[in-house]
Amino acid sequence: MIPARFDYDVAESVEHAIELLGAGGGETKVLAGGQSLIMALRLRIARPAKLVDLGRLGDLSYVTDGGTHVAIGAMTPHSVVASDTLLAEHCPIVSSTAAQIGDPQVRHRGTIGGTLAHGDPASDMPAVVLALGAELVARGSAGERAIPATEFFIGVFETALAPDEVLVEVRVPKLAGSTGWAYLKASRRAQDWATVGVAALVHRDNGNVAGASIGLVNMGGTPLRALAAEDALAGGSSIAEAAAAVTDGAEPPSDHAGSSSYRAHLAQVIARRALEQAMG
């Protein structure tokens, strides 16, 4: 399909983007890599009055050491995130997940900030940053603020970003050497969105499980934390028992990729495999 008519502006800086967004009265959308938004425009799921293109903001493409965290510029392509040695050393679940997104074209054009700001519950990276307890840094007319991932995703294609805010950075914590991790998903084809995905982090203390964080993809209107499964694992339950609890509180959708009941069963299977991998 052909998108509905819209105006188009190119931002020359983050401040220019904020100015353009503020003038749009909430009817303006940001264009990053465009791998998700362009499809939404063509299907007329999204019908903004104006697009603000961030493609020239090269200063938002970076991966740097932030001390206790790794800072990733919002315009950093998935391919760069996937191959970055700093992330591979300190937060490998992020680089591993980026390598699984879409196909090579999507990974070279799509950006980490774009996929997070798009707020699609079927995307891979939102569940990962949620499980990590990452922070997302937004800048707008009122200044800059760090938004916890637990507060960022508030609905289908809806985030906590204000109409005049731009996502500028993602801060992921450095994982301890005793933390096991895994991101696994099931999809109909390699380049499809995940039918179900599971991000699992298992924290150990002297070899014993001290806690776990589990993020779910495509199991509700937003990426979800499987809190009941986390509590079960931390309380001494087996992997199988914890995996069986990942659907507690979830509302898996039904669509062409599978029914709600199929997704619920698949989530338990994928969660068990992910926890087994994270446990080593």
Side-chain angles (χ1 to χ4, degrees):
M1 291 182 63
I2 298 173
R5 185 180 181 88
F6 59 84
D7 293 328
Y8 173 83
D9 272 315
V10 177
E12 301 296 339
S13 66
V14 173
E15 290 68 29
H16 185 211
I18 293 168
E19 179 184 339
L20 291 170
L21 289 170
E27 297 298 319
T28 302
K29 277 192 171 292
V30 166
L31 177 66
Q35 298 305 290
S36 297
L37 180 58
I38 295 300
M39 180 62 71
L41 292 172
R42 291 181 65 187
L43 295 174
R44 300 201 176 191
I45 297 171
R47 301 180 65 149
K50 178 185 286 189
L51 291 184
V52 175
D53 190 346
L54 305 185
R56 296 183 185 178
L57 304 187
D59 57 338
L60 290 185
S61 179
Y62 58 83
V63 181
T64 60
D65 192 327
T68 59
H69 66 269
V70 178
I72 311 169
M75 289 296 290
T76 308
H78 301 308
S79 59
V80 173
V81 174
S83 62
D84 186 79
T85 56
L86 188 65
L87 282 167
E89 178 182 0
H90 293 294
C91 198
I93 190 173
V94 171
S95 52
S96 176
T97 300
Q100 299 181 52
I101 294 174
D103 54 29
Q105 176 178 310
V106 169
R107 291 192 290 273
H108 279 84
R109 290 292 303 167
T111 64
I112 188 169
T115 195
L116 295 173
H118 189 55
D120 188 345
S123 294
D124 302 286
M125 199 62 76
V128 173
V129 299
L130 188 63
L132 283 167
E135 286 188 332
L136 296 95
V137 182
R139 193 181 305 164
S141 58
E144 192 168 281
R145 64 186 179 122
I147 308 169
T150 52
E151 301 174 9
F152 188 77
F153 306 103
I154 58 179
V156 181
F157 303 118
E158 187 179 5
T159 71
L161 290 171
D164 69 341
E165 284 186 318
V166 176
L167 181 62
V168 294
E169 186 174 275
V170 183
R171 296 172 180 168
V172 297
K174 293 181 178 179
L175 299 180
S178 57
T179 298
W181 61 272
Y183 178 70
L184 299 178
K185 63 178 178 177
S187 54
R188 299 177 69 192
R189 299 175 300 171
Q191 66 268 40
D192 285 348
W193 282 279
T195 305
V196 167
V198 177
L201 298 165
V202 177
H203 314 289
R204 298 186 184 88
D205 183 13
N206 294 322
N208 299 316
V209 175
S213 302
I214 304 170
L216 302 178
V217 177
N218 220 355
M219 288 293 288
T222 64
L224 301 173
R225 283 280 293 273
L227 299 177
E230 293 175 6
D231 291 343
L233 198 63
S237 296
S238 68
I239 289 176
E241 291 168 334
V246 295
T247 55
D248 291 5
E251 297 181 355
S254 292
D255 56 27
H256 69 283
S259 66
S260 178
S261 59
Y262 171 73
R263 268 197 172 85
H265 171 71
L266 186 59
Q268 294 172 338
V269 173
I270 298 298
R272 180 169 182 167
R273 294 174 182 174
L275 288 170
E276 288 173 344
Q277 183 172 317
M279 293 282 281

